[in-house]
Amino acid sequence: MIDLKLLRENPDVGRESQRTRGEDPQLIDQLLEADERRRDAIVAADAARSEQKAFSKEMGQKMRSASDEEKAALREEGKAKAEGVKKLEETLNAAEQEVHDLQMRISNIVEEGAPAGGEDDFVVLEHVGEPPTFDFEPKDHLELGESLGLIDMKRGTKVSGARFYFLTGDGALLQLGMLQLAAQKATQHGFSLMIPPVLVRPEIMAGTGFLGAHADEIYHLEEDDMYLVGTSEVALAGYHSDEIIDLSEGPVRYAGWSSCFRREAGSYGKDTRGIIRVHQFDKVEMFVYCKPEDAQEQHQQLLAMEKEMLAAVGVPYRVIDVAGGDLGSSAARKFDTEAWVPTQDTYRELTSTSNCTTFQGRRLKTRYRDENGKAQTVATLNGTLATTRWLVAILENNQQADGSVIVPEALRPFVGKDVLRPKN
């Protein structure tokens, strides 16, 4: 939710942010106009209540010596003033609702320095590692996964439909090892590990900013009015909703290990082969609560941890600064890491880390006390540390001519093998 005080003082910042996102800057003016009406309504309602209170006190004194006719007139006047207060309070409630609705429609203020534009307007910040060269025709991750007995898409589709799969044998061990390694790294860096719920209430899903333009990506259980999470960020953001948390010793940091669910509603015909774009996957997600002035530093720390994890599994990747129009409503700045996928001859997203500033904290009413003891809104950040899609890059970049795949050294203790070999 947008900070009204910030917009009152710097409306041009809000308008420019909307333009950077490719969204309507007039929403900022509509919100400020609604805020002005709300403040006028507050003044009018307060004045009417004060007048009614003074009249009630005066009426009590007059009633002692008034005639029956005068008493009736006083009662009618008191009734009229009460009715006036009621109408002004209704006007105020409507004005407050209008402000709230407009605030909920406006995305977070884009951080200064983020590129403008859409999905293709990102800026590449760095390349890490060299894409492999093969003296044979490389296989894609699904062909490798099937020949090595790691992935079963056919039975996944039979059981659950398109974009579902089984991870089998060493494939399951490879994913569990990758996620376990991520969990270990998170705890070594001071994150508290959590296994959160994957079903959340509507107010929690809305509070994180996921029920806006991309609501059709979320699974909704209508009978229970609950949502399946697409990331454990949602549950972790809701963990401290309506609370004042202690940040006196620094940021509060969690790592959530959970299954995640996405409808992929807008992806018809895209990535239909393999496990790049699926309905269910597992992920370790980092989440940070901190003071707003610490958010940019925390963002860089999350990115550094993602790079550390990618170095451990040894895949070549690049880091991009995501453009404003591709940020998502809650993020003010987002960095993605994209791994090289040899059979696609391109980079594909593996991790994402977002600075959501106070956007989610304000919606979920999560606060902390500053040095003066005054309650302030927290900033929140999130970042992926490992997810099922990583298997795509690990398999394709580590394949050999005989169809085998070298297991990254960091994952060998979990898999129990140095090399995965074809079953037949």
Side-chain angles (χ1 to χ4, degrees):
M1 184 179 290
I2 294 298
D3 183 352
L4 265 175
K5 184 174 182 292
L6 170 65
L7 290 186
R8 290 183 197 127
E9 295 173 352
N10 301 285
D12 285 340
V13 170
R15 297 184 190 108
E16 183 59 29
S17 175
Q18 290 290 94
R19 283 189 284 269
T20 298
R21 289 179 174 275
E23 297 177 4
D24 186 4
Q26 291 185 354
L27 279 175
I28 301 298
D29 297 295
Q30 292 174 26
L31 175 57
L32 292 173
E33 290 165 6
D35 179 47
E36 188 67 31
R37 288 191 293 272
R38 180 184 65 88
R39 287 190 286 171
D40 289 343
I42 290 172
V43 172
D46 286 347
R49 280 191 288 264
S50 179
E51 184 179 338
Q52 183 194 26
K53 184 178 180 180
F55 176 80
S56 296
K57 184 176 180 181
E58 182 182 351
M59 178 181 168
Q61 296 171 347
K62 288 182 177 180
M63 289 287 279
R64 297 191 187 97
S65 59
S67 65
D68 291 344
E69 186 177 343
E70 289 171 332
K71 287 179 180 179
L74 286 168
R75 291 191 188 98
E76 282 300 316
E77 188 176 353
K79 183 179 178 181
K81 289 187 181 297
E83 188 64 30
V85 168
K86 182 181 178 182
K87 287 182 179 179
L88 286 170
E89 287 177 339
E90 289 173 353
T91 299
L92 173 57
N93 290 337
E96 287 179 335
Q97 187 63 50
E98 182 185 15
V99 168
H100 177 270
D101 291 346
L102 283 166
Q103 276 185 289
M104 295 294 278
R105 287 175 59 191
I106 297 174
S107 301
N108 200 359
I109 300 296
V110 176
E111 185 180 303
E112 185 178 355
E119 183 179 357
D120 298 325
D121 297 310
F122 59 83
V123 173
V124 178
L125 300 179
E126 63 175 321
H127 286 86
V128 179
E130 290 293 328
T133 55
F134 301 108
D135 56 5
F136 58 90
E137 186 67 27
K139 299 176 181 179
D140 74 7
H141 73 280
L142 182 58
E143 187 176 357
L144 289 166
E146 289 176 338
S147 66
L148 297 169
L150 312 178
I151 304 170
D152 193 333
M153 295 293 298
K154 292 179 181 177
R155 291 187 176 90
T157 300
K158 178 179 71 174
V159 170
S160 301
R163 300 186 189 273
F164 284 96
Y165 57 95
F166 284 86
L167 291 181
T168 55
D170 291 334
L173 291 175
L174 195 61
Q175 170 164 290
L176 287 172
M178 178 178 60
L179 296 176
Q180 182 66 37
L181 180 63
Q184 289 178 357
K185 287 190 175 294
T187 55
Q188 289 166 6
H189 283 273
F191 286 72
S192 296
L193 188 63
M194 287 193 174
I195 299 178
V198 296
L199 279 169
V200 299
R201 298 175 183 271
E203 59 269 25
I204 300 300
M205 187 63 80
T208 53
F210 284 96
L211 289 185
H214 300 290
D216 59 350
E217 290 291 336
I218 303 167
Y219 283 103
H220 182 216
L221 282 64
E222 292 185 11
E223 188 171 337
D224 303 293
D225 196 19
M226 298 279 280
Y227 290 91
L228 280 167
V229 300
T231 167
S232 57
E233 169 195 344
V234 178
L236 296 177
Y239 188 66
H240 287 301
S241 60
D242 294 305
E243 294 181 19
I244 297 178
I245 62 175
D246 184 6
L247 297 181
S248 60
E249 296 184 6
V252 173
R253 307 201 289 182
Y254 301 113
W257 180 334
S258 75
S259 292
C260 305
F261 307 86
R262 295 183 186 175
R263 294 185 63 236
E264 295 294 347
S267 63
Y268 181 79
K270 291 182 181 178
D271 298 315
T272 56
R273 180 173 170 82
I275 59 171
I276 288 180
R277 195 183 296 271
V278 291
H279 292 309
Q280 179 182 336
F281 54 94
D282 285 356
K283 183 167 66 159
V284 172
E285 182 79 0
M286 302 176 287
F287 195 86
V288 176
Y289 294 91
C290 69
K291 297 176 181 179
E293 60 267 28
D294 297 332
Q296 290 188 4
E297 179 186 352
Q298 289 298 310
H299 200 192
Q300 290 298 321
Q301 288 187 24
L302 292 182
L303 178 59
M305 286 185 62
E306 291 177 343
K307 293 167 67 176
E308 180 183 327
M309 183 68 188
L310 285 164
V313 299
V315 295
Y317 67 93
R318 69 182 183 184
V319 181
I320 67 169
D321 193 351
V322 177
D326 197 33
L327 283 177
S329 64
S330 59
R333 190 79 174 269
K334 182 166 73 168
F335 303 117
D336 285 354
T337 65
E338 300 180 328
W340 179 254
V341 179
T343 61
Q344 295 188 11
D345 196 33
T346 191
Y347 289 90
R348 299 301 299 269
E349 179 191 334
L350 288 195
T351 76
S352 179
T353 177
S354 297
N355 178 4
C356 297
T357 62
T358 59
F359 186 84
Q360 294 176 332
R362 188 167 285 104
R363 285 177 169 227
L364 292 166
K365 300 176 183 176
T366 308
R367 299 175 294 166
Y368 72 99
R369 294 199 184 279
D370 63 19
E371 59 276 10
N372 299 316
K374 185 178 179 181
Q376 305 284 0
T377 303
V378 301
T380 61
L381 303 96
N382 62 80
T384 306
L385 206 49
T387 188
T388 299
R389 185 184 283 192
W390 285 37
L391 298 180
V392 174
I394 290 172
L395 293 176
E396 291 205 16
N397 283 286
N398 290 288
Q399 63 181 297
Q400 301 184 96
D402 62 356
S404 64
V405 170
I406 298 172
V407 178
E409 186 174 351
L411 299 181
R412 292 173 189 174
F414 304 102
V415 180
K417 297 178 180 178
D418 294 353
V419 181
L420 304 176
R421 301 188 184 279
K423 294 297 180 184
N424 297 318

